[in-house]
Amino acid sequence: MAGKASTKTAPATARAPQVKEWIDLRSDTVTKPTPEMRRAMAEAEVGDDVYGEDPTVNRLEQRAAEVFQREAALFVPTGSMGNLICVRVHCDHGNEVICESRGHIFNFETASMSAIAGCLPRPVETGDGILRWEHIEPAIRPKVYYRAQTGLISLENTHNIAGGRVLPTEVQDEICERAHERGLPVHLDAARIFNAATALGKSVAEITRKVDSIMFCLSKGLGAPVGSMVVGTRPFIERGRVFRKMFGGGMRQAGVLAAAGLIALEKHPPLLARDHQKAKRLAEALAEFPGVRIDPKDVETNILVFDVSGTGSSAPELSAKLKQRGVLANAIDPKTMRMVTHLDVSEDDIEQAIRVLQEVLPRPA
Ligand code: TLP
């Protein structure tokens, strides 16, 4: 492991890449490219993608469109830029974007929808993170010229901070049908849509078929080092291409990144089921500790969000204690922690993380 982490447990003589220091449960963004990805990156055919001449990027865009059964796709550097592009294409300045109050687009994207796209988020509380039509309808603005106008409904599937919850397809479909009757588009922050598809046993095309635009990430559970995709109609993607350039995301020989993305897209979706099993095992162990609040039934994918306020430690304190023992996990707020399983944590790592939790948390009676 590079950087600071490599000094932690490595004996002075060890070669850093051979030493496994941390069990990193902070996010599924932390995965390193596999040897197969690195080979593909080294050998990738490239060209200038701003001229549309990178064959590997073009192949990735075509494959993403095919997998989602849509007309076109656009390779973007990050999920955040992908979401921003979609907001900008769908909305006019001054529009409101209805989203779930713990949604990524509202909380973790540096207010870009306001700062750059000129839109106002209209966050709606749901409790369980499942945004339903009955939450959305009262938040839609009346069509009166002196009121802000609703421009977009933005959904998130799986819902990150709601603990990787899967948005049921019938709920999502109903939102789309009702929104379309009202003339409103629906965007899907589908950063982890392959996790949702795995949990539901359905294809990503089937569970996204009614939304107007999709942003999904190659760089999360699918394990690519960089990159996300926007998927939609051809005119939507062509408008999106303009805004990608405007936001500084016009990449040149990006085929070196797209090559890893293609492997993530083609080969890694079947691996996600294992991440879900690891998360379930961790959830079942966590649920045994007095003062930890988590229901393993709610852990549907690879993310665990749990309340530690009854343990005598705050979430940042617990995070620090785990780190001293080689386990990385983030506090979301003073009471709540998140752990995320991924390709680079093994079943043995999970057992080791559970042993470390036994050292730092009050023991079951
Ligand atoms: N999520 C990251 C952090 O930003 C919180 C993580 O570690 O989970 N949508 C969703 C649902 C996401 O979880 C993320 C990243 C994004 C969009 C943004 O993707 P990037 O990081 O590529 O901009």
Side-chain angles (χ1 to χ4, degrees):
M1 190 181 276
K4 241 174 38 190
S6 64
T7 58
K8 185 175 162 282
T9 56
T13 52
R15 287 186 23 235
Q18 295 173 339
V19 179
K20 184 168 176 67
E21 295 93 358
W22 301 102
I23 297 171
D24 195 344
L25 298 169
R26 287 172 302 169
S27 181
D28 47 9
T29 58
V30 301
T31 54
K32 308 272 169 63
T34 61
E36 185 185 11
M37 282 176 173
R38 288 182 185 273
R39 269 195 306 279
M41 292 169 83
E43 290 163 13
E45 259 191 280
V46 295
D48 192 326
D49 182 50
V50 172
Y51 297 142
E53 288 172 4
D54 189 297
T56 313
V57 171
N58 292 344
R59 202 145 50 85
L60 174 61
E61 291 180 344
Q62 193 186 331
R63 279 301 292 141
E66 281 164 11
V67 168
F68 282 80
Q69 295 174 19
R70 298 293 178 121
E71 286 174 12
L74 183 70
F75 186 44
V76 291
T78 64
S80 302
M81 187 189 284
N83 280 336
L84 175 61
I85 287 170
C86 292
V87 170
R88 186 65 193 85
V89 174
H90 284 300
C91 295
D92 289 326
H93 284 195
N95 280 175
E96 284 188 351
V97 176
I98 297 175
C99 53
E100 208 276 335
S101 63
R102 282 175 289 166
H104 196 276
I105 204 164
F106 176 50
N107 293 287
F108 296 97
E109 297 185 13
T110 61
S112 63
M113 78 159 78
S114 304
I116 301 174
C119 292
L120 198 62
R122 184 78 195 272
V124 175
E125 306 254 348
T126 61
D128 61 1
I130 306 293
L131 196 55
R132 297 169 193 277
W133 180 251
E134 56 263 33
H135 301 117
I136 293 170
E137 193 172 26
I140 296 173
R141 295 289 193 183
K143 286 205 180 300
V144 180
Y145 83 90
Y146 50 81
R147 305 289 299 268
Q149 288 297 291
T150 306
L152 180 65
I153 296 163
S154 184
L155 307 178
E156 185 172 316
N157 194 9
T158 62
H159 191 311
N160 183 345
I161 299 302
R165 292 298 290 266
V166 177
L167 195 53
T169 309
E170 60 281 6
V171 170
Q172 197 177 281
D173 285 355
E174 189 197 359
I175 292 170
C176 294
E177 283 160 21
R178 300 284 184 89
H180 293 158
E181 284 163 17
R182 306 281 285 263
L184 290 173
V186 179
H187 169 64
L188 184 62
D189 176 343
R192 297 184 178 82
I193 198 67
F194 285 90
N195 295 86
T198 302
L200 292 169
K202 295 180 182 169
S203 70
V204 288
E206 198 180 343
I207 65 172
T208 58
R209 70 199 160 106
K210 295 205 173 184
V211 298
D212 299 281
S213 55
I214 300 156
M215 182 292 291
F216 78 93
C217 295
L218 299 161
S219 61
K220 308 244 160 11
L222 298 182
V226 178
S228 294
M229 306 299 299
V230 174
V231 188
T233 63
R234 198 170 301 284
F236 185 91
I237 294 301
E238 286 322 309
R239 285 277 289 156
R241 197 178 294 282
V242 174
F243 290 117
R244 183 184 67 174
K245 190 76 176 80
M246 188 183 284
F247 302 156
M251 297 179 284
R252 302 293 179 171
Q253 286 71 38
V256 290
L257 303 176
L262 269 164
I263 292 169
L265 180 62
E266 304 289 10
K267 299 200 174 170
H268 287 186
L271 307 182
L272 295 174
R274 247 181 92 188
D275 294 344
H276 297 184
Q277 285 156 11
K278 288 177 268 183
K280 194 65 113 185
R281 164 75 184 121
L282 199 47
E284 280 161 2
L286 276 165
E288 298 289 313
F289 291 104
V292 174
R293 273 182 36 211
I294 185 166
D295 185 343
K297 280 201 303 299
D298 294 340
V299 178
E300 299 172 316
T301 61
N302 68 327
I303 301 180
L304 302 91
V305 172
F306 50 97
D307 185 313
V308 296
S309 54
T311 65
S313 296
S314 70
E317 282 163 1
L318 193 55
S319 174
K321 287 182 196 170
L322 291 171
K323 187 173 180 184
Q324 281 169 358
R325 292 163 176 81
V327 176
L328 302 180
N330 280 339
I332 299 177
D333 63 39
K335 290 178 169 183
T336 319
M337 294 206 53
R338 185 180 76 149
M339 290 183 172
V340 185
T341 58
H342 51 80
L343 278 171
D344 288 358
V345 283
S346 66
E347 284 76 4
D348 286 349
D349 290 336
I350 297 297
E351 296 307 319
Q352 172 61 14
I354 293 168
R355 283 192 288 277
V356 167
L357 283 163
Q358 283 162 351
E359 287 172 26
V360 300
L361 284 173
R363 294 275 176 153

